[in-house]
Amino acid sequence: MFGMVRPCTHRLGERLTAQWMAHLCGLCLALRGQAGQFARVATNYDGLVISVLTEAQAGAERAGRRRAGPCALRGMRRASVAEGDGARLAAAVSLILASAKTRDHVTDLDGLLAHRPVAAAARRIAGIWDKEGARAGAGVGFDTALLVGAVDRQPEVEALAGPGTPLLAVTEPTETATAAAFAHTAHLAKIPGNAAPLAEAGRLFGRLAHLLDAVEDQEKDAASGAWNPLTATGTPRTEARRLAADALHGIRLALDEAEFADGRLAHVLLVHELGRSVERAFGEERHRHGAEAYGPPPGNPYAPGAPPHPGGPGDLPPPPPREPRGLIPGCLVFIGMACTCQLCCGTYEGPWSRRRRDGVCKKCEECCECCNCCGDGCSCCEKCSCCDGCCCDG
């Protein structure tokens, strides 16, 4: 999985994490249903924003949910997952973009793709994804030729770019593609008035995707001799940072103009999480919040040995122990947790023992930063599970 939007479950809270996972699983299953099991590798965090936006406008009931069977990637548990036109549009976009990325790797002879048999197989897979992506798009009234055309124009734009070329001229094809996909969610939700602001949000989202990819890869591209938009156009990182800040501000303004049934998750992902992605890409350290910034709260009622707190965890009996898993089911769950970062960033159920455990970076630097949105006047986030001092009660 890949993408700019990589939220931490500690910041999302229980309710938004459940929504996030519903869209993630919904995209994965939509890809499987559209193009077979292997297509699930095209699951990406940015693509599921399409599904999130559709449901945010239409509401969960209209957008569609269903009960999915057990899956190793969610601890062999059943779950409510997103389905319907939003998930299918997200699958169509993901297939087209994954196909383009695969062809780029084949052209660049990256890794195993330098070998002709592997490259030939990759090209066949990309062709299948193109066909199935177009079919999925047609099923929800979206013409994927817009995406394909933007992908095809990108090499031409890059070939013409040189020192002094505006960086935004290079990001234009990506902006055009994402604007079309975001705008179509308004038509799926039957709120046509949202098409214009969401097209603007999508255009700026595409700009950020291109900018952050260029920033993160600049050193590696310089070492390998690969083309990089910042290097090719002579754009300093300070200018790239300014453009990223402008894009973040524009996305927020565009979302404020749109009408949502429940826009909380969309706002968290496209405003707060994108902001963190920008700061990660530019190597900026965030200000700490919560207990670490202000010191431990006096008389913490939840400290070890403290008396029960009225209405708090001390009043509740411990949950009954669950039966441990066997060796093979536990191994499958372990693999799924490792692939989805649950072992490193989160609180999870032990694969074999089923005991509650904390991930190795549960106290990572970002976990307490959910509090910063209070200063922005939003009501989008819930109480962070790893801080004592935050947050919005939204």
mmCIF file of all heavy atoms in Angstrom, residues 21 44 114 147 178 192-193 217 241 278 282 288 352 367 389:
data_model
loop_
_atom_site.group_PDB
_atom_site.id
_atom_site.type_symbol
_atom_site.label_atom_id
_atom_site.label_comp_id
_atom_site.label_asym_id
_atom_site.label_seq_id
_atom_site.Cartn_x
_atom_site.Cartn_y
_atom_site.Cartn_z
ATOM 1 N N MET A 21 -11.007 1.978 7.973
ATOM 2 C CA MET A 21 -10.797 0.580 7.625
ATOM 3 C C MET A 21 -11.916 0.061 6.731
ATOM 4 O O MET A 21 -11.685 -0.786 5.873
ATOM 5 C CB MET A 21 -10.699 -0.271 8.895
ATOM 6 C CG MET A 21 -9.444 -0.041 9.710
ATOM 7 S SD MET A 21 -7.930 -0.336 8.760
ATOM 8 C CE MET A 21 -8.131 -2.065 8.305
ATOM 9 N N ASN A 44 -4.397 1.333 -2.488
ATOM 10 C CA ASN A 44 -3.533 2.422 -2.036
ATOM 11 C C ASN A 44 -4.329 3.409 -1.215
ATOM 12 O O ASN A 44 -5.529 3.585 -1.401
ATOM 13 C CB ASN A 44 -2.864 3.110 -3.231
ATOM 14 C CG ASN A 44 -3.832 3.865 -4.091
ATOM 15 O OD1 ASN A 44 -4.047 5.053 -3.902
ATOM 16 N ND2 ASN A 44 -4.449 3.171 -5.060
ATOM 17 N N ALA A 114 13.969 -5.448 -15.109
ATOM 18 C CA ALA A 114 15.041 -5.377 -16.103
ATOM 19 C C ALA A 114 15.144 -6.686 -16.888
ATOM 20 O O ALA A 114 15.756 -6.724 -17.959
ATOM 21 C CB ALA A 114 16.373 -5.076 -15.420
ATOM 22 N N LEU A 147 -8.055 9.970 -17.298
ATOM 23 C CA LEU A 147 -6.862 9.569 -16.547
ATOM 24 C C LEU A 147 -5.772 9.083 -17.493
ATOM 25 O O LEU A 147 -4.597 9.447 -17.340
ATOM 26 C CB LEU A 147 -7.206 8.460 -15.548
ATOM 27 C CG LEU A 147 -8.283 8.760 -14.500
ATOM 28 C CD1 LEU A 147 -8.400 7.580 -13.545
ATOM 29 C CD2 LEU A 147 -7.955 10.023 -13.741
ATOM 30 N N THR A 178 -6.691 14.012 -11.129
ATOM 31 C CA THR A 178 -7.302 13.921 -9.802
ATOM 32 C C THR A 178 -8.516 14.847 -9.684
ATOM 33 O O THR A 178 -9.475 14.517 -8.974
ATOM 34 C CB THR A 178 -6.272 14.256 -8.714
ATOM 35 O OG1 THR A 178 -5.609 15.484 -9.044
ATOM 36 C CG2 THR A 178 -5.242 13.151 -8.573
ATOM 37 N N PRO A 192 -24.677 17.705 -7.420
ATOM 38 C CA PRO A 192 -23.873 18.309 -8.485
ATOM 39 C C PRO A 192 -23.219 19.623 -8.103
ATOM 40 O O PRO A 192 -22.190 20.003 -8.667
ATOM 41 C CB PRO A 192 -24.886 18.490 -9.629
ATOM 42 C CG PRO A 192 -26.231 18.439 -8.976
ATOM 43 C CD PRO A 192 -26.086 17.519 -7.812
ATOM 44 N N GLY A 193 -23.791 20.319 -7.119
ATOM 45 C CA GLY A 193 -23.195 21.571 -6.693
ATOM 46 C C GLY A 193 -21.825 21.400 -6.069
ATOM 47 O O GLY A 193 -21.058 22.365 -5.957
ATOM 48 N N ASP A 217 11.940 12.037 -3.490
ATOM 49 C CA ASP A 217 12.812 11.255 -4.379
ATOM 50 C C ASP A 217 13.984 12.048 -4.942
ATOM 51 O O ASP A 217 14.785 11.491 -5.698
ATOM 52 C CB ASP A 217 11.997 10.693 -5.558
ATOM 53 C CG ASP A 217 11.004 9.640 -5.125
ATOM 54 O OD1 ASP A 217 11.105 9.165 -3.977
ATOM 55 O OD2 ASP A 217 10.123 9.293 -5.930
ATOM 56 N N ARG A 241 7.960 24.128 -1.079
ATOM 57 C CA ARG A 241 7.255 24.166 0.213
ATOM 58 C C ARG A 241 6.147 25.216 0.190
ATOM 59 O O ARG A 241 5.050 24.998 0.742
ATOM 60 C CB ARG A 241 8.254 24.475 1.339
ATOM 61 C CG ARG A 241 7.624 24.478 2.754
ATOM 62 C CD ARG A 241 7.104 23.095 3.079
ATOM 63 N NE ARG A 241 6.525 23.007 4.397
ATOM 64 C CZ ARG A 241 5.257 23.287 4.705
ATOM 65 N NH1 ARG A 241 4.424 23.698 3.742
ATOM 66 N NH2 ARG A 241 4.809 23.160 5.932
ATOM 67 N N VAL A 278 2.986 16.642 4.306
ATOM 68 C CA VAL A 278 3.870 17.697 3.811
ATOM 69 C C VAL A 278 5.051 17.881 4.764
ATOM 70 O O VAL A 278 6.206 17.985 4.344
ATOM 71 C CB VAL A 278 3.096 19.017 3.638
ATOM 72 C CG1 VAL A 278 4.053 20.186 3.391
ATOM 73 C CG2 VAL A 278 2.098 18.896 2.493
ATOM 74 N N PHE A 282 9.149 17.268 3.954
ATOM 75 C CA PHE A 282 10.146 18.332 4.058
ATOM 76 C C PHE A 282 10.990 18.231 5.324
ATOM 77 O O PHE A 282 11.775 19.123 5.630
ATOM 78 C CB PHE A 282 9.461 19.692 3.989
ATOM 79 C CG PHE A 282 9.004 20.067 2.609
ATOM 80 C CD1 PHE A 282 7.730 19.739 2.170
ATOM 81 C CD2 PHE A 282 9.856 20.712 1.722
ATOM 82 C CE1 PHE A 282 7.296 20.071 0.888
ATOM 83 C CE2 PHE A 282 9.442 21.043 0.448
ATOM 84 C CZ PHE A 282 8.158 20.722 0.023
ATOM 85 N N ARG A 288 5.054 19.274 19.930
ATOM 86 C CA ARG A 288 4.431 18.225 20.737
ATOM 87 C C ARG A 288 3.235 18.781 21.498
ATOM 88 O O ARG A 288 3.216 19.937 21.889
ATOM 89 C CB ARG A 288 5.451 17.661 21.728
ATOM 90 C CG ARG A 288 6.669 17.075 21.051
ATOM 91 C CD ARG A 288 6.373 15.749 20.415
ATOM 92 N NE ARG A 288 6.216 14.745 21.455
ATOM 93 C CZ ARG A 288 5.698 13.561 21.233
ATOM 94 N NH1 ARG A 288 5.285 13.233 20.054
ATOM 95 N NH2 ARG A 288 5.599 12.692 22.203
ATOM 96 N N TRP A 352 -1.256 -14.813 18.476
ATOM 97 C CA TRP A 352 -1.490 -16.140 19.049
ATOM 98 C C TRP A 352 -2.213 -16.052 20.396
ATOM 99 O O TRP A 352 -3.197 -16.716 20.629
ATOM 100 C CB TRP A 352 -0.165 -16.877 19.216
ATOM 101 C CG TRP A 352 0.475 -17.232 17.924
ATOM 102 C CD1 TRP A 352 0.204 -18.315 17.126
ATOM 103 C CD2 TRP A 352 1.482 -16.480 17.242
ATOM 104 N NE1 TRP A 352 0.978 -18.271 15.992
ATOM 105 C CE2 TRP A 352 1.772 -17.171 16.028
ATOM 106 C CE3 TRP A 352 2.174 -15.302 17.519
ATOM 107 C CZ2 TRP A 352 2.731 -16.714 15.134
ATOM 108 C CZ3 TRP A 352 3.118 -14.840 16.621
ATOM 109 C CH2 TRP A 352 3.391 -15.532 15.446
ATOM 110 N N CYS A 367 1.729 10.701 17.623
ATOM 111 C CA CYS A 367 0.505 10.211 18.240
ATOM 112 C C CYS A 367 -0.255 11.277 18.997
ATOM 113 O O CYS A 367 -1.466 11.234 19.081
ATOM 114 C CB CYS A 367 0.822 9.042 19.175
ATOM 115 S SG CYS A 367 1.103 7.501 18.305
ATOM 116 N N GLY A 389 -4.523 15.324 27.444
ATOM 117 C CA GLY A 389 -4.932 16.716 27.400
ATOM 118 C C GLY A 389 -5.765 17.130 26.209
ATOM 119 O O GLY A 389 -6.108 18.288 26.092
#
